[in-house]
Amino acid sequence: MYNFKNDYSEGAHPNILTKLIETNLVQQLGYGEDEYGIEAKEVLKEKIKNPHATIHFLSCGTQTNLIVISFLLRVHEAVISAKTGHISANETGSIEATGHKVIAVETEDGKLRPSDIQNALKEYALKPHVVKPRMVYISNSTEIGTIYTKSELEDLSSCCKTNNLLLYLDGARLGHALMAQNNDMILADIARLTDIFYIGGTKNGALLGEAVIFRTPELAFDFEYVLKQKGALLAKGRVLAIQFLELFKHDLYFDLAHHANTMALKIVDAVQSKGFSFLTNSMTNQIFPILPKDIIQKLSENYQFYIWKEIDDDHAAIRLITSWATDEKNVDAFIADLKSL
């Protein structure tokens, strides 16, 4: 039984484990003041071409979203998100639990556009009787595998600046977005066009960890106090820092994302050769083929995946996710089984 349910079924890339072992007995300061953390932050600042950025390492995506959003919003402020956005659909109401409304917007492809922002601002214009939109939350790649183009992100960024909104990008799968064949951005573009974003390690080779990046120190003022208060400031911060140092010092992060995307596109080609369509046009490591339910049933005997959406009585869209560690032999086996049905 091979698991296509998620991209964190495996542990960590061997280089990370080796580096953790090699540095295991080297004494370091705690709470993010270790030498690995200092070096990792410098490496990331060079990658994003912003020496003034403020960077912190957190444990997971939901924790990052929860702490960053609640830190930046005042008590009466809200965040705009696509309905499929992780903070809207998958985080157990964590943002609402802090007292901040998520303004969920219906989209066809998981991406927000300036018109969506303007409509939300009009809907919540009855000051002071409604919450005040203050942040726009997007994901790249999105929760349904699509990615933003540079022009789309530039338009969103301009819209947010015009309307005094913070633009926050969830980068849980940012590596896969940047390595997609139809992508036209680099990491520095993300850093330039957003106010805050994070680079996901958990889904791309790390044991755990996300690197949250504030474009300016002013935005991150006193953030470390909140990290400590919320239990997110790890005593052994080196564990997170070493992983990001290993992932970015020689661009391993991008190599791993490229492999995951390549494995997914092999399956895309096979699905298309069978004449089946897709729920979304994804060139990342998440794909959503629409298959007859009898074929889905047979494939589920040997492979794990999610039924994502019922299309009609006879068809459904499934979600297949490949990872940095996906073995091509397992992909080839899946393709062979699909073609035989």
Side-chain angles (χ1 to χ4, degrees):
M1 180 70 71
Y2 190 77
N3 186 0
F4 285 109
K5 279 190 170 183
N6 55 59
D7 37 11
Y8 44 81
S9 295
E10 301 86 4
H13 189 275
N15 286 15
I16 287 175
L17 298 179
T18 298
K19 187 60 66 173
L20 287 169
I21 292 170
E22 288 177 354
T23 59
N24 189 46
L25 296 179
V26 179
Q27 290 191 324
Q28 291 289 311
L29 295 175
Y31 301 109
E33 297 181 17
D34 57 280
E35 63 182 78
Y36 311 115
I38 294 170
E39 185 179 0
K41 290 174 183 179
E42 290 305 311
V43 169
L44 287 173
K45 287 178 183 180
E46 175 62 28
K47 297 292 183 186
I48 67 172
K49 303 186 186 309
N50 181 357
H52 306 295
T54 296
I55 303 173
H56 293 276
F57 300 113
L58 283 79
S59 297
C60 69
T62 297
Q63 179 193 62
T64 301
N65 288 335
L66 170 63
I67 293 177
V68 168
I69 293 173
S70 62
F71 166 71
L72 289 170
L73 297 186
R74 297 180 66 188
V75 293
H76 59 286
E77 293 176 335
V79 55
I80 302 169
S81 166
K83 189 174 181 180
T84 54
H86 217 258
I87 62 169
S88 174
N90 294 96
E91 295 184 356
T92 325
S94 63
I95 304 305
E96 289 91 342
T98 66
H100 298 289
K101 183 178 181 64
V102 176
I103 301 171
V105 176
E106 288 279 2
T107 65
E108 290 186 2
D109 57 4
K111 298 192 288 185
L112 288 177
R113 292 170 174 80
S115 58
D116 299 316
I117 308 307
Q118 295 293 351
N119 289 338
L121 291 175
K122 290 178 183 177
E123 184 179 355
Y124 288 86
L126 190 59
K127 175 185 177 180
H129 305 287
V130 293
V131 293
K132 177 184 177 181
R134 172 63 174 135
M135 177 184 286
V136 172
Y137 166 96
I138 61 174
S139 304
N140 198 33
S141 60
T142 71
E143 291 74 11
I144 52 177
T146 53
I147 67 169
Y148 284 87
T149 65
K150 185 189 291 188
S151 63
E152 287 173 336
L153 192 57
E154 287 173 340
D155 289 346
L156 265 184
S157 180
S158 176
C159 176
C160 287
K161 286 181 172 63
T162 299
N163 292 285
N164 193 31
L165 300 170
L166 296 170
L167 181 57
Y168 171 47
L169 185 145
D170 181 323
R173 294 187 173 94
L174 185 55
H176 306 99
L178 294 176
M179 297 309 294
Q181 289 183 2
N182 57 336
N183 171 62
D184 62 352
M185 286 193 284
I186 61 174
L187 199 55
D189 294 318
I190 303 293
R192 174 176 59 87
L193 294 170
T194 64
D195 295 296
I196 322 97
F197 73 102
Y198 78 85
I199 300 170
T202 303
K203 292 182 170 69
N204 196 35
L207 279 172
L208 75 165
E210 328 296 318
V212 61
I213 300 175
F214 294 81
R215 188 164 51 84
T216 65
E218 291 78 16
L219 270 178
F221 181 71
D222 280 350
F223 187 65
E224 60 270 28
Y225 284 94
V226 177
L227 286 182
K228 179 65 176 180
Q229 187 181 73
K230 302 297 184 184
L233 186 62
L234 296 187
K236 295 183 180 180
R238 60 191 286 165
V239 173
L240 298 176
I242 287 170
Q243 295 183 77
F244 277 91
L245 184 58
E246 192 63 27
L247 285 171
F248 280 93
K249 202 167 186 180
H250 303 293
D251 288 338
L252 176 63
Y253 183 80
F254 300 107
D255 294 338
L256 299 182
H258 179 265
H259 172 78
N261 288 356
T262 301
M263 294 300 98
L265 291 183
K266 283 197 70 172
I267 300 176
V268 168
D269 289 342
V271 171
Q272 289 176 335
S273 72
K274 289 281 288 185
F276 299 127
S277 60
F278 292 84
L279 187 66
T280 65
N281 179 28
S282 170
M283 300 188 78
T284 64
N285 70 321
Q286 292 187 96
I287 58 174
F288 299 81
I290 299 172
L291 303 175
K293 290 182 179 178
D294 60 335
I295 289 182
I296 292 173
Q297 180 60 39
K298 291 174 182 176
L299 288 172
S300 67
E301 294 174 4
N302 294 314
Y303 308 95
Q304 295 181 13
F305 46 77
Y306 284 110
I307 305 292
W308 193 255
K309 184 178 182 180
E310 299 283 340
I311 303 301
D312 54 40
D313 290 342
D314 299 316
H315 297 79
I318 65 172
R319 183 182 74 168
L320 301 172
I321 301 184
T322 53
S323 82
W324 63 271
T326 297
D327 193 324
E328 192 165 10
K329 290 185 295 185
N330 292 309
V331 170
D332 289 341
F334 179 88
I335 291 172
D337 288 346
L338 174 64
K339 289 184 174 181
S340 70
L341 298 174

Coordinates of all heavy atoms in Angstrom, one line a residue, residues 66 78 98 199 253 265 277 294 320:
L66 N -1.6 30.8 12.9 CA -2.3 31.3 14.1 C -1.5 32.4 14.8 O -2.1 33.5 15.1 CB -2.4 30.1 15.0 CG -2.9 30.4 16.4 CD1 -4.3 31.0 16.4 CD2 -2.9 29.1 17.3
A78 N -10.0 41.7 10.7 CA -10.3 40.4 10.1 C -9.3 40.2 9.0 O -8.6 41.1 8.5 CB -11.7 40.4 9.6
T98 N -9.1 33.0 18.1 CA -8.4 34.2 18.7 C -9.3 35.4 18.6 O -8.8 36.5 19.1 CB -7.1 34.4 17.9 OG1 -7.4 34.8 16.6 CG2 -6.2 33.2 17.9
I199 N 8.2 30.1 4.5 CA 8.8 29.0 3.7 C 8.5 27.7 4.4 O 9.0 27.5 5.6 CB 10.3 29.2 3.4 CG1 10.5 30.5 2.7 CG2 10.8 28.0 2.6 CD1 12.0 30.9 2.6
Y253 N 16.5 22.5 -1.1 CA 15.0 22.8 -1.0 C 14.4 22.7 -2.4 O 13.3 22.1 -2.5 CB 14.8 24.1 -0.3 CG 13.4 24.5 -0.1 CD1 12.7 23.9 1.0 CD2 12.7 25.4 -0.9 CE1 11.4 24.3 1.3 CE2 11.4 25.7 -0.6 CZ 10.7 25.2 0.4 OH 9.4 25.5 0.7
L265 N 3.8 15.1 -12.3 CA 3.5 15.3 -13.8 C 3.6 14.0 -14.5 O 2.9 13.9 -15.6 CB 4.5 16.4 -14.3 CG 4.3 17.8 -13.8 CD1 5.3 18.8 -14.5 CD2 2.9 18.3 -14.0
S277 N -9.9 13.9 -17.2 CA -9.7 15.3 -17.0 C -9.3 15.6 -15.5 O -9.2 14.6 -14.7 CB -10.9 16.2 -17.3 OG -12.0 15.8 -16.6
D294 N -15.5 3.3 -10.2 CA -15.1 1.9 -10.2 C -13.5 1.8 -10.3 O -12.9 1.0 -9.7 CB -15.7 1.1 -11.3 CG -15.5 1.6 -12.7 OD1 -15.2 2.8 -12.8 OD2 -15.6 0.8 -13.6
L320 N -4.0 13.3 -5.3 CA -2.8 12.6 -5.2 C -1.7 13.6 -4.9 O -1.5 14.6 -5.6 CB -2.5 11.9 -6.5 CG -3.5 10.8 -7.0 CD1 -3.1 10.4 -8.4 CD2 -3.6 9.7 -6.1

